[in-house]
């Protein structure tokens, strides 16, 4: 059966409920490594007793340490024989990933459960550092069909589930309602960036803010949020494993972004945190994570509005990526620890707990059946993020599957947006870099 089942095709099939059958028939791409050589049924936990304790490594996404501990306390009241040690393993996704990577290399103490971001989990899959969860999901009767499809599918590859969604987010368009009112603008996010470009001079003239719009800090997640611009113009970082960041459409999108700063002079680039800049009134609008929502609402001294991400001249919808992190179980710990961690993983992602996590952080509930009534009554803006899930798009392979590519995208964005570098030349150089990463670090581990 001739069919190219890359991740995008697989997720599209999975959304139709035929992904498993199609991959089984076609023998879709698999990746080398100890974890990928066995099927979920090979991991047999029959007769295994859960370990008495394990470490849960987290970076507390969305300032979630208190709610994480609260959920752990509830878990241990129900399962007193399993102690969960909450470990701050880094200040962000990168730090926790580096710690996990270092522990693998040093063969030192590993966690039973670990937070894995969207740009890090795949390399652990290719290296065999995490186990497929399918067998445990079946054995423990985890209601996988009750997870938000677009969120759980982000951790599926080669017909296996490698993590469950945890602190999941989309970027949101944040706007200062007071500035919009003063400028005589409608109380909504712009439908397209072209529409916003018409609004920007009015905002600058009436708001007193330094910028009408500020781009997220490039050292953060430029590769994530700029997918919105690229997709709106018909471009992308990549199409499957074809890297087309230097395409006419991609270059045009980023040239427009550069012009908004240097030519039209209504935009800037955050030096540290765009959400903080927005809350401080430095800018009238920005794009930032759903996970920043509660912090913005708490610190802003003005009326905050949120909306879907704007489209572009080629696409006005499906221009929003998902993002954030999931929870995975390392392969380098004992079955006893894996089973204990899986017991907690099931509990952590139950509807009641995902609703509590969402209420405390602003992240999206990962379960369809989560009762969000009380949360939405208190923070109705969260519903915008939930509604936007229906028009999200799978992230480009180049960003989430190539080790270190996100940092390379940030460097390229910095050249374009803070140094006014030549867009075409910068994107051509980036394509060469991405091709090199794929050829050296990914392609040898993929099998057709």
């Amino acid at each position: 059966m001739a069919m190219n089942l890359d991740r995008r095709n697989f997720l599209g099939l999975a959304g139709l409920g035929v992904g498993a059958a199609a991959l089984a028939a076609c023998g879709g791409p698999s990746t080398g490594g100890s974890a990928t050589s066995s099927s979920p049924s090979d991991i047999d936990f029959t007769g295994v007793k859960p370990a008495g304790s394990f470490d849960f490594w987290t970076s507390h996404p969305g300032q979630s340490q208190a709610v994480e501990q609260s959920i752990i306390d509830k878990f241990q009241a129900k399962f007193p024989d399993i102690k969960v040690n909450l470990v701050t393993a880094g200040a962000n996704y990168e730090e926790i990933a580096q710690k996990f990577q270092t522990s693998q290399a040093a063969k030192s103490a590993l966690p039973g459960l670990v937070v894995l971001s969207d740009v890090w989990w795949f390399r652990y899959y290719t290296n065999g550092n995490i186990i497929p969860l399918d067998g445990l999901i079946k054995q423990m009767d985890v209601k996988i069909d009750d997870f938000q499809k677009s969120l759980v599918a982000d951790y599926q590859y080669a017909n296996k589930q490698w993590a469950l969604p945890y602190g999941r987010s989309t970027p949101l368009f944040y706007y200062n309602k007071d500035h919009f009112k003063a400028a005589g603008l409608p109380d909504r996010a712009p439908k397209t960036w072209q529409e916003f470009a018409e609004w920007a001079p009015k905002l600058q003239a009436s708001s007193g803010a330094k910028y009408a719009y500020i781009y997220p800090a490039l050292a953060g997640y430029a590769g994530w949020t700029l997918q919105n611009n690229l997709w709106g113009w018909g471009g992308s970082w990549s199409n499957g494993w074809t890297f087309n960041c230097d395409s006419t459409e991609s270059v045009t999108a980023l040239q427009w972004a550069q012009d908004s700063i240097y030519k039209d002079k209504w935009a800037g680039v955050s030096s540290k945190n765009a959400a903080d800049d927005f809350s401080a009134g430095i800018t009238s609008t920005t794009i930032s994570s759903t996970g920043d929502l509660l912090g913005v609402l708490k610190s802003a001294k003005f009326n905050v509005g949120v909306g879907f991400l704007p489209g572009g001249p080629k696409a006005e919808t499906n221009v929003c990526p998902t993002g954030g992190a999931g929870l995975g179980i390392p392969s380098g710990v004992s079955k006893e620890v894996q089973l204990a961690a899986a017991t907690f993983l099931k509990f952590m992602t139950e509807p009641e707990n995902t609703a509590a996590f969402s209420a405390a952080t602003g992240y999206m509930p990962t379960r369809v059946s989560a009762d969000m009534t009380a949360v939405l009554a208190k923070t109705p803006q969260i519903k915008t993020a939930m509604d936007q899930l229906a028009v999200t798009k799978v992230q480009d392979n180049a960003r989430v599957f190539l080790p270190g590519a996100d940092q390379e995208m940030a460097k390229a964005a910095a050249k374009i947006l803070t140094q006014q570098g030549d867009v075409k030349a910068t994107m051509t150089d980036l394509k060469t870099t991405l091709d090199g990463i794929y050829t050296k670090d990914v392609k040898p581990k993929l099998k057709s």
Side-chain angles (χ1 to χ4, degrees), residues 322-381:
T322 56
L327 296 173
I329 297 178
S331 59
V333 296
S334 69
K335 285 185 178 181
E336 289 77 10
V337 168
Q338 290 172 348
L339 187 57
T343 305
F344 176 66
L345 175 57
K346 177 183 178 181
F347 185 86
M348 189 76 165
T349 55
E350 290 286 1
E352 178 184 350
N353 292 323
T354 191
F357 189 83
S358 181
T361 62
Y363 281 112
M364 291 179 294
T366 61
R367 296 290 290 265
V368 174
S369 64
D371 184 358
M372 297 293 290
T373 305
V375 178
L376 294 177
K378 183 177 181 181
T379 313
Q381 295 91 339

Side-chain angles (χ1 to χ4, degrees), residues 82-296:
I82 303 176
K83 185 175 188 293
V84 182
N85 304 309
L86 186 64
V87 177
T88 303
N92 51 46
Y93 294 145
E94 282 63 45
E95 287 187 9
I96 193 172
Q98 292 293 349
K99 181 178 176 67
F100 186 56
Q101 190 165 282
T102 300
S103 296
Q104 298 284 350
K107 300 186 184 303
S108 56
L110 288 169
L113 192 68
V114 62
V115 169
L116 301 171
S117 85
D118 52 354
V119 300
W120 282 92
W121 77 266
F122 189 72
R123 74 192 69 191
Y124 298 131
Y125 156 66
T126 61
N127 291 333
N129 298 145
I130 53 177
I131 65 170
L133 300 178
D134 305 69
L136 287 166
I137 286 171
K138 182 178 181 180
Q139 178 176 327
M140 305 190 72
D141 194 26
V142 176
K143 306 298 184 184
I144 199 72
D145 290 341
D146 187 50
F147 282 82
Q148 297 282 357
K149 285 183 173 58
S150 64
L151 301 184
V152 76
D154 280 340
Y155 302 102
Q156 293 169 350
Y157 197 86
N159 197 26
K160 295 183 179 69
Q161 188 78 43
W162 298 95
L164 290 180
Y166 180 50
R168 297 308 310 277
S169 63
T170 61
L172 286 173
F173 186 89
Y174 290 76
Y175 65 97
N176 185 317
K177 284 174 169 275
D178 298 344
H179 288 182
F180 272 47
K181 184 176 181 180
L185 299 175
D187 184 8
R188 62 171 174 83
K191 295 179 180 178
T192 66
W193 284 110
Q194 286 67 35
E195 182 177 47
F196 184 75
E198 297 174 0
W199 294 358
K202 299 177 183 178
L203 283 169
Q204 284 190 304
S206 61
S207 69
K210 186 175 182 180
Y211 304 112
Y213 175 78
I214 199 164
Y215 290 92
L218 302 180
Y221 302 102
W224 184 46
T225 56
L226 284 175
Q227 287 173 119
N228 162 245
N229 302 79
L230 294 171
W231 294 342
W233 267 258
S236 59
W237 296 119
S238 65
N239 181 7
W241 293 119
T242 300
F243 307 109
N244 57 345
C245 55
D246 64 339
S247 68
T248 299
E249 294 82 1
S250 298
V251 169
T252 301
L254 295 179
Q255 184 64 62
W256 185 90
Q258 186 185 75
D259 288 346
S260 69
I261 298 169
Y262 294 99
K263 180 182 176 183
D264 302 322
K265 300 183 185 301
W266 48 259
V269 179
S270 177
S271 60
K272 189 174 182 181
N273 186 296
D276 290 345
D277 293 338
F278 174 73
S279 298
I282 296 171
T283 179
S284 296
T285 65
T286 194
I287 282 178
S288 195
S289 169
T290 310
D292 292 321
L293 179 57
L294 293 188
V296 168

Side-chain angles (χ1 to χ4, degrees), residues 388-419:
Q388 192 175 215
L389 272 177
V391 290
T392 53
K393 184 177 178 179
V394 175
Q395 291 196 65
D396 295 337
N397 281 14
R399 178 175 187 261
V400 292
F401 282 175
L402 299 186
D406 196 41
Q407 292 92 325
E408 296 299 333
M409 292 168 184
K411 292 176 186 176
K415 287 183 181 178
I416 293 168
L417 300 181
T418 65
Q419 301 168 31

